[in-house]
Amino acid sequence: MRKIAVLTSGGDSPGMNAAIRAVVRRGLSIDMEVYGVYYGYSGLMTGNIKAMNAGSVGDIIHRGGTILHTARCLEFKTDEGQLQAIEQLKQHGIEGLVVIGGDGSFRGAQKLSEKGFPTIGIPGTIDNDIPGTEVTLGFDTAVNTVIEAVDKIRDTATSHERTYVVEVMGRHRGDIALWAGLTAGAESIIIPEVELDMDDVLKRLVEASNRGKKHSIIMVAEGVCPAAEIGKIIEEKLGFDTRVTVLGHVQRGGSPSACDRMLGSRLGAKAVDLLHEGQAGKMVGMQNNRIVAVDFDEVFNGKLPVDLNMIELSKSLSF
Ligand code: ADP
Ligand code: F6P
C-alpha cells in the first residue's frame, strides 16, 4: 500500500491531532504518501482531500480539536454516499483510510471495508464508550478538565457552604462522571449505568453536613437527567443552598494531556502499520497497556461493564 488517507469524524476529542500527526509521519517514514481528508465523511464524499507532508502536522501535538475539522454527514450513511466516497478515494489513487472517531464513525468505516476499501479505526471520543479498548482518545484530558473545574467550584462552595451539582458529558456512559467524581472527591456520583437512588444521595448529604462538612459536590452524567433536576430535589427536600454547573463542551477542548498525546501517537502509528500489513476492518485500541487490533464486529458486539468497585471506593472515601 503506497497511498493512505486520514480523517476525523463525529465529536472531536483532545488527542486527535496527535493521532493525525502519528498517521502522517509514520506513513511518510515507511515511504507512503499520506493525504488528509477535511470535514470527515462529508469531505470524503466531495473530495476535500489534500496531500500532507511532515510540516503539515508540525506544531499540532499539543493542540486540542482537529486540524482536519470534523462533521456529521447523513448522506454517508447511504450506499450511494459510501460509493461516492470510495470513488473519490480511487480518483486520488488512495488505497487505505484511517478513521479517527467514535462508534458512529466506525460503522461508516466498516461499511467502507465491506465495500472493499481497507479502513482502520482509531477510537477518538471523550466518552470512553467504545468496547475493545480500555481507554479512548480524549478521555483522560476531559477528566482532567472536569477535575480542574471542580477544584475551582470547591473553593466557592466552601466559602458559601453550598452544595454543587456538576453535570458532565456522557449520554450512555458514566466514565467521565465516575473518574472525575472519584478524583475530585464528589459526595455522590450519578451515572446512566446505575439506577439513581435519590434517597441515598440525600442521606449522604445530610450525614456530611452533620459531620460539619462545608461543601458537597454531586457529579451527574448528562445521560441520567439534567443536573438542575437533582439540584431542585436537594433544595426542596433538604433546604440546602444549592447551585448547578453544566460543564458542557468545555470538556471537549483544550490541550491534550500527556496520556492522550501518547495514546494518539501509539494508536496512529499502529493504524498505519496495520494498513501496511494489508489488514482492514479493525479498530486499534489499548488493552493491558498494549496496542491491539480488534475487529469492528467485536467492537460493535462488545460489552462495557461498569466498574462498580469505583463507585464503592468513591463512597468509602468521600465522607
Ligand atoms: P461518533 O463517531 O462520534 O459516534 P456520529 O455517531 O455522529 O459520531 O457518527 C459520525 C458519522 O459517521 C455520521 O455523521 C455518519 O456520517 C457516519 N455514520 C454513523 N453511523 C453510520 C452508519 N450506521 N453507517 C454509515 N455511516 C455512519
Ligand atoms: O463526543 C461525545 C459527546 O461529547 C457526548 O458526551 C455529548 O452528548 C455529545 O458529544 C455532544 O456532541 P455535539 O454537541 O457535538 O452534538
Side-chain angles (χ1 to χ4, degrees), residues 28-65:
L28 295 175
S29 76
I30 52 174
D31 292 327
M32 284 176 157
E33 285 178 41
V34 187
Y35 289 76
V37 180
Y38 289 78
Y39 300 97
Y41 292 128
S42 171
L44 196 55
M45 287 176 58
T46 55
N48 194 347
I49 300 171
K50 294 190 180 82
M52 312 280 275
N53 57 36
S56 318
V57 290
D59 203 25
I60 66 166
I61 195 165
H62 60 300
R63 292 187 199 282

Side-chain angles (χ1 to χ4, degrees), residues 103 129-133 283 294 298-304:
D103 173 82
D129 61 349
I130 303 203
T133 184
M283 174 192 82
V294 185
E298 239 179 277
V299 175
F300 300 141
N301 296 324
K303 296 264 176 298
L304 278 172

Side-chain angles (χ1 to χ4, degrees), residues 194-272:
V194 177
E195 199 182 340
L196 171 57
D197 181 352
M198 200 58 214
D199 288 340
D200 183 61
V201 173
L202 296 172
K203 184 167 134 268
R204 291 177 62 78
L205 282 173
V206 171
E207 284 169 0
S209 169
N210 290 344
R211 279 192 308 269
K213 202 163 180 178
K214 300 290 181 215
H215 67 259
S216 286
I217 308 284
I218 311 292
M219 188 72 74
V220 56
E222 64 180 341
V224 178
C225 68
E229 282 179 24
I230 307 278
K232 200 162 164 246
I233 297 173
I234 294 169
E235 283 210 311
E236 280 174 4
K237 299 246 169 159
L238 303 180
F240 285 9
D241 191 11
T242 305
R243 293 289 184 276
V244 170
T245 299
V246 179
L247 291 179
H249 289 78
V250 72
Q251 296 161 88
R252 285 240 297 254
S255 179
S257 65
C259 288
D260 279 324
R261 295 181 199 195
M262 179 67 84
L263 186 63
S265 302
R266 293 176 76 189
L267 293 177
K270 180 72 175 184
V272 174

